Amino acid sequence: MSDEQFNHGEADEQTRPRLKIEDNLPIRTVGIETQRERNNYSDLPPQNYLHVWWARRPTPASRLGILASVLPDSVDDDTLLRWMGIDPDNKSPEKSISDHVRQKRKTKEDRDGFVYEHYGYRKSYKNLPEGDEKEKLHETVRETWDGELPTILDATAGGGSIPFESVRYEFPTIANELNPVASVILKAVLEHPRVDGDLSDDIRRWGEKINEQARSELDEYFPSTSDEKPLEYLWAHTATCPDCGLEVPLSPNWWLDKDSGSEGVAARLNTTSDSDQVEFEIVELPTDVEKSEYNPTDGTVSRGSGTCPRCGVAIEGDEIKEQAQTDGLGYQLYAIHYEDLSKNGGRHFRAPRKDDMQGFEKAKIAVKNDPELANLLNIEIPNGEETERTGRYGIDEWRDMYSPRQLLVHYTYWQAFEEAKSEIIEEYAEPVAYAIMTYLSFAADKGIDYNNRMSSWDSTRPKVRNTFDRHDFSFKWSFAESRLTAEGLGYDWVLDNTVGAYEDLHELSGESDAPIDVLQEDAADLSLDSEEVQAIVLDPPYYDNVMYSELSDFFYLWLKKYLGDMYPSFFQQELTDKHNEAVANQSKFKDVASEDTSKRELAKQDYEDKMTDIFEEMYRVLDKDGVFTLMFTHKKTEAWDTLTKALINAGFSVRSTHPISTESRLSLHQAGKNAAESTILLSSEKRDTTDERPTLWDDVKRETRRAARDRAKELDEHESEFSKVDMVLASFGPTLRVFTENYPVVDEEGNEITPKVALDEARDAVTGYLNDKYLNTGIEDVDPRTEWYIHAWLMFEAQRFPYDEARRHAINVGVDLDDLKRSHRLWRKRSGDVVLRPSEDRVQNINKKPEDRSSRKPVDPEALSFTTALDKVHAALHVYDKQGATEAWNWMNQRNCGSDPEFKATLEALLRVLPHDHDDWEIAQNLAAGDTGDMLDLDLDADIFRDEDDENEDKQGKITDDYTSD
């Protein structure tokens, strides 16, 4: 190919000023504010409490995405932060807001008074510019956008965090969602709070009327006495022991109110040879029984398999599933949580009584004898990525999600709502009536979320967990039944929650007169004119993170009953739209996958095609001077590659990227994993596609590596609190900018280079930078298997991380990931993730005779030579741990460890990368000291042995200083 074939045409010049999002942003300050918003789960923005939705974006990140996309780069950081609601009243005049916020975060634990007093402002979501400041903001935006306030579009709006902030800033806003459940949420978040007047008293009045009606019909199914009021009923699913015939209640533990590992209240199982039914008693540890005699942590089911408490026979997981799929699992009541109405008062637990089951059996008969109830929700649950796990345990129809009494309760509340509906429509104008009924339906949904066979008991609080404490349909061996009719709890509680959320939404956005359109359409086919919007701020579906439609079917069926006649266009289908949903759902391709094309590949291609269609539609509706800002949180390179290909194919060019720390480390769907803690704001613009000629990969590759390394160096040297995996994510932005500006990219033979290749180069460049900065010399000369292990600890800063990333890392160093597991046992698999093994899992016990040692462990500690440097170091650690320093010195002397550069380099690298609470780090520290240390003569600096708990020092594996723009 000739050189001129690789020249690119110049894009048309923008007529608007350069935008703030193309400049440096105060990302560290926004990250601190984001964590501050997320730290207290009782003080989140109100939309978080209104109705379940998955993966809502935090306010600071949403505001930064919106404001930075419409403000010019002439706006300084302090002004931007003030307009974002980060405006401390106790800041020293000489300090910037960023300096103030960072300093206040460092001293937060030493404060006197409330957190907001310490920072000098309440959480940013509670603040908006007012008066002259609001006018100045709007004037600045108008000057940037030819005299008009730009229209903001979120085409995949989900729970509404982005458009809610757009409305609050009074920008013309369009919010679209394919999913009907999300569309109703958008109505309740964006439109209904701005209906004239405060509707809180009206919502409460009608909710109380519904509750009173339902309570009068349901109380007979919940027997109580003058001395006690049942609040929750705790059930365990049951399976029949194939050996002795006992109906075995299946629960992972029997704690009811757990104070510690040996103190608290628990249910105790009692079995006899005369009955195939387990009986329960309530015991208090250690008053009634010592833990050594009865340990409630020892449940009857673990890892899917059960144990019979009478005969001790194991009930295999396949046996339980077969029983579930044949006859359905039973369930047994094992405890009641009640309120004592006597003079003693308080809340307590008791064992079930005969009248408890009589009430339940009465409800079963009522459901069976009522034709409508007998067929309620008898709709098959589609076999999907998330829902397939319910089918394994006999939950095949949506009605199976509920016990008969739960089904009766929710049906009765719906009937009471239906009776009230005609009166509400008659009393109010349509917008007000629709608002009231929408919020009442959300109260019912909240009750459903906390009262079904997937809602479990949290003994540490104690309280009921909702169904979606995680982003899936994980089967619950034991479940909690809430008594919705209980005064002060149940429906009273969900109604209070709903009214409170409405009140806050009304207070925060009720004064806005911004035009708002809520659409329920496919984001790839919007009913908008071409070039109608000036800014798109989009939080797209993240590849395979959340199967929104599968999960939302749980609510869709009930909302359809409540609101189907109010929003008929939302509820036309039996279930939510799975076909047009832009997620990588492998279950859709089970029947068409083949040896040549896996369901994973088909799902990836489907997601890419759908995202391309969506991005092409964004290209169509976006003004020629417009900006397209994506929020993206995903650490899988595969997901980035897919999204980038879609973005490029649609005609966009990446302009800038900004990583913001947003994800809570406490989130259950991330717990125990090396989850990405950053949202990347990825800004792009329309590129000129009329004269695109290929660019050689060799040229782009050099620029790609330089851009990625420079970004990592910038974040490192400017004191950013980013984990190293987030630094890799941050490097993807400059990489994508280089790639899209030179698109299409080809090798010397003319073959297309994909974004994945460029992202792999970025990772390799950042890895090289971090190795140079944080590892010792000599480590670059160790064998590839040892290199993979050391680099895994360095890069991922966790023992567990995604398989896909581990595989790519293995490719980078030239080893086979599965061989590292199979032959070398460097890692084990857990729920699709890689878990790095310590020396204990790899080295045979030297204190045992050779014939008694585990053949599964590949490292022989008595060998004189080893396949890898890591094997030799792990063996040395094992000898020191099992036989002490003297034997370790002899062992190392026999194997010339003191003159082995790879052994010494590997030991030092482990000291640098392992967490200080890791057993291997503690042994390695001892090995590097004393007589064995004298033999090795490692040149170690004191920082390697610093105390990780010292608040004045950096924690291992983190770059903990702060970064903001100049």
Side-chain angles (χ1 to χ4, degrees):
M1 295 184 179
S2 60
D3 290 343
E4 56 267 21
Q5 286 181 281
F6 299 98
N7 295 329
H8 284 256
E10 295 294 326
D12 293 337
E13 291 293 325
Q14 297 282 357
T15 60
R16 56 157 171 77
R18 189 169 183 262
L19 297 175
K20 181 67 175 174
I21 201 162
E22 299 175 76
D23 196 4
N24 281 333
L25 296 175
I27 55 176
R28 185 68 205 110
T29 307
V30 176
I32 292 171
E33 182 62 21
T34 295
Q35 289 294 337
R36 186 179 163 209
E37 177 175 290
R38 291 284 180 94
N39 277 344
N40 184 353
Y41 279 82
S42 64
D43 186 20
L44 294 172
Q47 62 266 29
N48 289 272
Y49 306 116
L50 186 63
H51 195 285
V52 169
W53 193 253
W54 301 271
R56 280 187 172 97
R57 290 301 92 200
T59 302
S62 299
R63 286 187 173 183
L64 184 63
I66 294 166
L67 293 181
S69 297
V70 298
L71 287 167
D73 66 351
S74 58
V75 173
D76 61 70
D77 286 354
D78 272 13
T79 301
L80 174 64
L81 291 170
R82 284 201 316 272
W83 287 345
M84 287 181 60
I86 304 174
D87 189 10
D89 60 15
N90 59 348
K91 180 181 73 66
S92 299
E94 66 275 8
K95 278 189 173 181
S96 69
I97 292 177
S98 291
D99 288 340
H100 172 87
V101 171
R102 294 198 309 272
Q103 189 271 333
K104 289 300 181 181
R105 190 204 187 177
K106 291 177 181 177
T107 58
K108 185 180 71 171
E109 300 308 319
D110 300 325
R111 73 185 187 279
D112 292 323
F114 296 106
V115 174
Y116 77 87
E117 293 173 329
H118 177 72
Y119 278 96
Y121 63 97
R122 293 186 179 274
K123 290 183 177 181
S124 64
Y125 83 83
K126 301 180 180 181
N127 312 317
L128 277 177
E130 298 178 341
D132 291 343
E133 279 297 300
K134 184 176 75 172
E135 288 303 316
K136 185 177 179 181
L137 166 63
H138 281 177
E139 180 183 351
T140 304
V141 173
R142 286 190 179 98
E143 289 174 352
T144 308
W145 295 94
D146 200 25
E148 300 289 338
L149 290 179
T151 297
I152 312 291
L153 166 66
D154 184 353
T156 57
S161 296
I162 295 170
F164 182 60
E165 295 307 315
S166 178
V167 165
R168 292 182 68 193
Y169 279 96
E170 300 187 17
F171 297 129
T173 304
I174 302 171
N176 175 72
E177 246 300 336
L178 174 69
N179 191 295
V181 175
S183 298
V184 178
I185 294 173
L186 291 175
K187 290 279 188 180
V189 169
L190 303 175
E191 291 185 350
H192 297 333
R194 300 195 297 155
V195 171
D196 289 343
D198 184 345
L199 303 181
S200 55
D201 289 341
D202 301 87
I203 299 167
R204 186 178 301 279
R205 175 166 64 90
W206 288 102
E208 289 173 348
K209 183 172 183 178
I210 290 169
N211 195 24
E212 181 181 350
Q213 174 67 25
R215 185 178 287 154
S216 67
E217 297 181 28
L218 291 170
D219 273 350
E220 64 178 302
Y221 303 105
F222 298 92
S224 59
T225 68
S226 59
D227 293 332
E228 66 173 41
K229 177 175 68 177
L231 305 175
E232 291 99 9
Y233 300 79
L234 308 188
W235 299 80
H237 287 101
T238 62
T240 304
C241 173
D243 192 61
C244 73
L246 182 74
E247 283 299 304
V248 179
L250 301 170
S251 182
N253 68 78
W254 298 105
W255 285 108
L256 303 174
D257 188 353
K258 184 179 180 182
D259 295 327
S260 69
S262 58
E263 295 181 337
V265 180
R268 184 175 185 176
L269 299 77
N270 295 311
T271 63
T272 66
S273 59
D274 299 331
S275 173
D276 287 335
Q277 189 81 16
V278 172
E279 293 188 356
F280 287 92
E281 62 176 321
I282 306 303
V283 295
E284 185 171 352
L285 282 74
T287 304
D288 299 329
V289 61
E290 294 285 347
K291 182 181 177 181
S292 58
E293 182 184 352
Y294 174 62
N295 186 357
T297 302
D298 297 334
T300 51
V301 65
S302 176
R303 299 181 181 274
S305 296
T307 303
C308 177
R310 181 166 65 182
C311 69
V313 165
I315 311 175
E316 299 296 334
D318 289 343
E319 169 67 22
I320 294 175
K321 292 173 185 175
E322 182 178 349
Q323 290 187 27
Q325 293 167 20
T326 302
D327 300 314
L329 294 179
Y331 27 86
Q332 181 176 352
L333 185 62
Y334 68 89
I336 287 89
H337 188 219
Y338 70 95
E339 183 175 352
D340 188 347
L341 302 178
S342 69
K343 60 181 181 180
N344 295 323
R347 294 181 179 180
H348 309 280
F349 295 90
R350 65 168 174 82
R353 298 192 298 250
K354 185 176 181 180
D355 59 329
D356 295 314
M357 288 309 299
Q358 286 175 342
F360 182 79
E361 291 298 326
K362 189 174 184 179
K364 285 178 65 176
I365 294 171
V367 170
K368 183 178 180 179
N369 292 338
D370 186 313
E372 188 166 358
L373 266 168
N375 293 287
L376 183 67
L377 304 186
N378 61 345
I379 298 171
E380 184 177 351
I381 300 175
N383 188 12
E385 196 74 7
E386 295 296 342
T387 53
E388 67 173 355
R389 65 186 71 192
T390 62
R392 299 171 193 164
Y393 296 100
I395 300 179
D396 300 317
E397 295 183 344
W398 287 105
R399 68 179 287 112
D400 298 331
M401 285 279 188
Y402 311 90
S403 72
R405 186 162 63 183
Q406 290 173 326
L407 203 62
L408 173 63
V409 165
H410 297 315
Y411 173 82
T412 303
Y413 272 94
W414 170 55
Q415 288 292 91
F417 172 87
E418 286 296 307
E419 290 185 24
K421 181 185 287 186
S422 59
E423 297 179 52
I424 294 172
I425 292 173
E426 184 176 342
E427 182 171 332
Y428 301 93
E430 183 176 286
V432 177
Y434 277 30
I436 292 172
M437 289 187 291
T438 299
Y439 293 122
L440 290 174
S441 72
F442 282 7
D445 264 7
K446 192 177 292 288
I448 291 164
D449 188 26
Y450 281 87
N451 188 31
N452 63 85
R453 286 173 61 190
M454 300 296 110
S455 51
S456 58
W457 183 251
D458 181 357
S459 62
T460 63
R461 301 296 297 264
K463 68 176 185 65
V464 180
R465 295 188 189 94
N466 68 318
T467 305
F468 296 105
D469 59 343
R470 303 188 345 169
H471 296 173
D472 57 32
F473 279 123
S474 58
F475 181 76
K476 307 300 193 304
W477 294 106
S478 55
F479 66 95
E481 178 187 14
S482 299
R483 182 183 176 189
L484 287 186
T485 59
E487 295 180 4
L489 289 171
Y491 191 87
D492 285 345
W493 177 80
V494 299
L495 181 61
D496 282 345
N497 256 251
T498 303
V499 172
Y502 162 77
E503 289 174 337
D504 290 342
L505 288 166
H506 177 68
E507 180 182 353
L508 294 177
S509 67
E511 298 300 318
S512 173
D513 60 357
I516 174 69
D517 285 323
V518 174
L519 307 178
Q520 195 262 314
E521 300 176 354
D522 185 346
D525 186 20
L526 297 175
S527 56
L528 300 176
D529 293 337
S530 297
E531 301 188 357
E532 182 174 340
V533 300
Q534 288 72 49
I536 300 171
V537 183
L538 192 69
D539 178 27
Y542 295 154
Y543 193 58
D544 60 354
N545 259 20
V546 181
M547 300 295 117
Y548 297 94
S549 62
E550 290 185 14
L551 300 179
S552 62
D553 279 343
F554 179 84
F555 296 111
Y556 176 86
L557 289 167
W558 287 104
L559 285 177
K560 185 175 182 179
K561 289 184 171 300
Y562 274 85
L563 304 176
D565 54 347
M566 290 168 48
Y567 306 113
S569 63
F570 289 6
F571 299 101
Q572 296 180 12
Q573 301 186 35
E574 184 177 64
L575 294 171
T576 59
D577 186 347
K578 313 292 187 300
H579 176 72
N580 291 308
E581 183 182 37
V583 294
N585 190 334
Q586 297 184 35
S587 66
K588 295 197 300 186
F589 302 97
K590 290 177 181 177
D591 296 333
V592 295
S594 65
E595 292 183 0
D596 296 330
T597 310
S598 69
K599 61 181 182 180
R600 178 180 180 179
E601 293 170 326
L602 290 170
K604 176 186 175 182
Q605 186 61 51
D606 181 61
Y607 174 75
E608 182 179 322
D609 291 343
K610 284 184 167 56
M611 291 308 300
T612 297
D613 291 343
I614 291 173
F615 290 164
E616 286 177 350
E617 184 70 348
M618 298 305 97
Y619 190 96
R620 183 186 71 81
V621 302
L622 185 65
D623 185 83
K624 63 181 178 62
D625 286 344
V627 61
F628 180 13
T629 296
L630 282 170
M631 292 184 180
F632 194 69
T633 304
H634 208 302
K635 60 187 172 299
K636 288 184 180 180
T637 311
E638 185 176 30
W640 277 88
D641 175 53
T642 302
L643 181 139
T644 307
K645 286 176 68 175
L647 199 65
I648 292 170
N649 291 340
F652 288 99
S653 176
V654 174
R655 306 305 301 165
S656 62
T657 57
H658 304 278
I660 308 165
S661 180
T662 60
E663 298 296 344
S664 169
R665 299 170 190 270
L666 301 178
S667 180
L668 278 180
H669 72 280
Q670 299 181 64
K673 301 182 180 181
N674 175 250
E677 295 168 7
S678 290
T679 283
I680 308 295
L681 291 183
L682 188 153
S683 172
S684 62
E685 298 173 351
K686 289 183 173 183
R687 73 174 191 273
D688 183 3
T689 60
T690 58
D691 187 27
E692 289 192 331
R693 285 168 287 177
T695 306
L696 281 173
W697 168 236
D698 284 347
D699 297 332
V700 177
K701 179 179 178 179
R702 286 191 295 271
E703 181 66 14
T704 292
R705 294 186 66 86
R706 184 197 62 77
R709 188 180 179 96
D710 287 351
R711 183 58 167 153
K713 187 172 184 290
E714 177 189 19
L715 288 172
D716 192 0
E717 294 181 351
H718 285 79
E719 310 173 342
S720 179
E721 189 175 274
F722 276 78
S723 66
K724 294 180 183 65
V725 70
D726 276 347
M727 291 178 70
V728 174
L729 288 177
S731 76
F732 286 174
T735 301
L736 296 176
R737 177 167 185 165
V738 170
F739 192 86
T740 54
E741 286 180 344
N742 290 279
Y743 183 81
V745 181
V746 298
D747 62 18
E748 291 184 350
E749 285 75 39
N751 300 312
E752 181 183 359
I753 300 297
T754 67
K756 179 182 70 174
V757 176
L759 295 175
D760 283 344
E761 285 294 332
R763 183 194 290 101
D764 187 64
V766 175
T767 302
Y769 168 78
L770 294 172
N771 286 347
D772 293 344
K773 182 72 178 287
Y774 294 100
L775 288 182
N776 44 291
T777 57
I779 195 64
E780 65 273 7
D781 297 324
V782 301
D783 59 275
R785 298 183 185 92
T786 299
E787 182 185 6
W788 178 88
Y789 188 87
I790 296 294
H791 287 179
W793 273 111
L794 173 69
M795 290 301 305
F796 300 108
E797 302 174 338
Q799 190 171 9
R800 179 179 175 184
F801 45 88
Y803 178 90
D804 181 66
E805 294 303 289
R807 181 180 63 82
R808 292 189 182 279
H809 176 45
I811 293 172
N812 284 345
V813 298
V815 295
D816 181 83
L817 180 63
D818 292 333
D819 183 60
L820 296 180
K821 174 179 181 287
R822 183 175 55 254
S823 301
H824 302 277
R825 291 180 64 80
L826 289 183
W827 62 276
R828 61 184 175 87
K829 197 167 187 178
R830 182 179 178 187
S831 300
D833 290 338
V834 163
V835 180
L836 296 173
R837 289 186 179 274
S839 62
E840 182 182 6
D841 287 359
R842 304 189 62 244
V843 185
Q844 299 166 11
N845 193 337
I846 196 170
N847 290 333
K848 291 184 178 182
K849 296 178 181 179
E851 60 268 22
D852 294 332
R853 297 174 187 171
S854 172
S855 61
R856 291 177 57 82
K857 297 182 178 182
V859 180
D860 177 5
E862 294 183 313
L864 296 177
S865 62
F866 296 87
T867 305
T868 70
L870 182 67
D871 289 354
K872 191 172 183 179
V873 171
H874 272 176
L877 297 179
H878 175 81
V879 173
Y880 190 103
D881 183 46
K882 296 296 184 182
Q883 297 186 338
T886 300
E887 288 300 320
W889 193 96
N890 293 332
W891 187 95
M892 291 166 59
N893 187 47
Q894 292 172 0
R895 290 158 180 80
N896 300 315
C897 292
S899 58
D900 183 345
E902 291 191 19
F903 178 92
K904 294 164 69 172
T906 300
L907 178 62
E908 180 177 343
L910 286 175
L911 284 167
R912 292 180 181 274
V913 299
L914 290 177
H916 288 194
D917 58 357
H918 194 286
D919 289 344
D920 281 355
W921 188 89
E922 297 176 11
I923 303 169
Q925 181 188 30
N926 293 330
L927 195 69
D931 291 341
T932 51
D934 290 342
M935 175 193 294
L936 296 173
D937 191 28
L938 298 178
D939 184 17
L940 303 175
D941 55 76
D943 282 350
I944 291 180
F945 301 105
R946 70 189 183 276
D947 184 357
E948 288 187 313
D949 294 327
D950 187 344
E951 64 182 1
N952 296 317
E953 297 291 335
D954 295 344
K955 291 187 176 181
Q956 183 273 338
K958 294 287 179 184
I959 315 300
T960 60
D961 299 326
D962 301 308
Y963 167 78
T964 188
S965 59
D966 294 331

